Amino acid sequence: MTPCDTCVVRNRAICSGLDDAELVALNNIGRRRNVTAGEPLIWEDDDSLLVANVIEGVLKLTTSTEDGREQIVGVAYPSDFIGRPFGQTSSASVVALTDARVCVFSRNDFDRFAREHPELEHKLLERTLAELDRTRSWMMLLGRKNASEKIATFLLEMSDRLADSSCTGAIGPAKRFSLPFSRQQVADLLGLTIETVSRQFTKLKNDGVVELPSRREVEIVNRGALLALAG
Amino acid sequence: MTPCDTCVVRNRAICSGLDDAELVALNNIGRRRNVTAGEPLIWEDDDSLLVANVIEGVLKLTTSTEDGREQIVGVAYPSDFIGRPFGQTSSASVVALTDARVCVFSRNDFDRFAREHPELEHKLLERTLAELDRTRSWMMLLGRKNASEKIATFLLEMSDRLADSSCTGAIGPAKRFSLPFSRQQVADLLGLTIETVSRQFTKLKNDGVVELPSRREVEIVNRGALLALAG
DNA sequence: TTGCGTTTTTGATATCGGTCAAGGTCTGGG
DNA sequence: CCCAGACCTTGACCGATATCAAAAACGCAA
């Protein structure tokens, strides 16, 4: 098999519009790479390897201040693209939250390929616009929502996001799921401290809105209440 | 002259790569529109007119909660694109901050044109990626910076942004500029209240970091201090 | 199982920024 | 010029969330 064969299958969503010969060509310029949980994929201002497509797992994109405050500015799920094609360097660090498999492209190869395949660029543009919309609605959360609204919004988003990737055949948001985030990472995503996150989780549990069977497991008991809290 | 002739000239930055015939074609599908300060351009969930290119002036993109809290999620300056091509509806409202001139495209026309002109799509993709980067660094500000860091970062960003559009020939960040935002709008941009914004401005003035000749005018006296505060 | 390090929870306290209220300043129209 | 309304500033107070500290729960390896 050619390298990164799995990518090709998973990439169909992105590359629909490419014909088989083009898929093989894309196939040939990518390399599969495994990343274990907690390991970084791209360091800040490193521009040697830059574009990747997530096959399996979840990764975080973060920016930090010099004094160590961290903000998660994006989360990449399977089939998402990571990186910054076309000459710019990305301003975010990428770290795997779970063990992950990605398909990595050298930037030059990817850029050349994209320019020669407008359909791929069109797909990329649609995805980037969708990501921009998601990021903007997250700005609303960061700037204007209080702690309980943030937590409720987060749990609902997780419920939606993790529904697709489980492939259990069930349609719609997941009722029970496993968080790919530690409490600290939830805090970094929502612009809160770990203590506030913990207290809000405890409150939701005490109010009977969610069950927390273990640290990473969440079961949504009262979805309506969460929706009301999220605002 | 064909309609929207000004657009063509101003659009060169976006459309470089298009030949003259293509420029004329783009020219023919856009219409110039004036928007006075405070007037909306696209309402939330309205998808009749959707893509626009800013020729002159500054516009804000906002999202709001039902109970009236507002967050500015983006600011569009001359040559920026607004809207959401390719079938999706934008989740943000667009309101002019200053009197503005834009070139408006019906979504269908624009989509068709973009698909037939890969170079335009490529430019759009580059711009969208850059906007995503800017938005992500703003998330850091909203989630992790305190009030004085927010104000300092804001003033530096304004100084950079307004330098280009003034066309006075001076290179580099502007030392003195006119804010396109009211105090309330600065608050909506930074995730603060108007009172906190006002107090921080006063503090910077008292500390000799900036001069505030009038409500909208800012002169940066001590840029180093601002940089230190912004972190 | 035990023990140790990490993560999470819980509690006490402090503080930044929000809220409420009042007064001041700018601006445009009569 | 004067007035009215919008916008901005200032002050007093309060509360949500951060901070600091310690205990509890978990997970992994010996």
Side-chain angles (χ1 to χ4, degrees), chain B residues 78-193:
Chain B
S79 94
D80 284 348
F81 254 84
I82 295 171
R84 189 80 162 74
F86 316 125
Q88 306 301 313
T89 61
S90 164
S91 56
S93 307
V94 181
V95 174
L97 293 175
T98 65
D99 289 350
R101 214 141 35 100
V102 300
C103 183
V104 178
F105 305 90
S106 95
R107 186 157 55 180
N108 286 342
D109 291 347
F110 186 84
D111 287 3
R112 195 176 316 114
F113 190 89
R115 281 193 166 279
E116 289 164 3
H117 300 274
E119 277 299 330
L120 176 63
E121 283 215 318
H122 182 78
K123 281 278 174 191
L124 262 182
L125 177 54
E126 289 203 349
R127 279 162 171 278
T128 306
L129 285 164
E131 180 63 22
L132 184 57
D133 271 4
R134 257 197 304 280
T135 304
R136 283 175 168 165
S137 72
W138 210 252
M139 290 177 79
M140 170 80 230
L141 175 147
L142 289 173
R144 291 299 187 202
K145 290 191 176 178
N146 63 29
S148 78
E149 291 171 321
K150 284 179 176 180
I151 295 285
T153 306
F154 165 74
L155 289 175
L156 289 170
E157 160 113 4
M158 282 294 100
S159 156
D160 288 340
R161 284 289 205 153
L162 298 175
D164 320 324
S165 61
S166 70
C167 292
T168 53
I171 299 295
K175 188 169 182 294
R176 187 192 179 113
F177 50 88
S178 183
L179 288 177
F181 301 101
S182 69
R183 292 288 184 271
Q184 181 61 61
Q185 286 159 353
V186 176
D188 292 340
L189 192 59
L190 300 178
L192 296 171
T193 60

Side-chain angles (χ1 to χ4, degrees), chain A residues 62-84:
Chain A
T62 60
T63 58
S64 307
T65 54
E66 294 151 13
D67 60 346
R69 283 173 285 176
E70 184 166 316
Q71 176 68 47
I72 296 181
V73 296
V75 183
Y77 298 89
S79 95
D80 284 348
F81 253 84
I82 294 170
R84 189 79 163 76

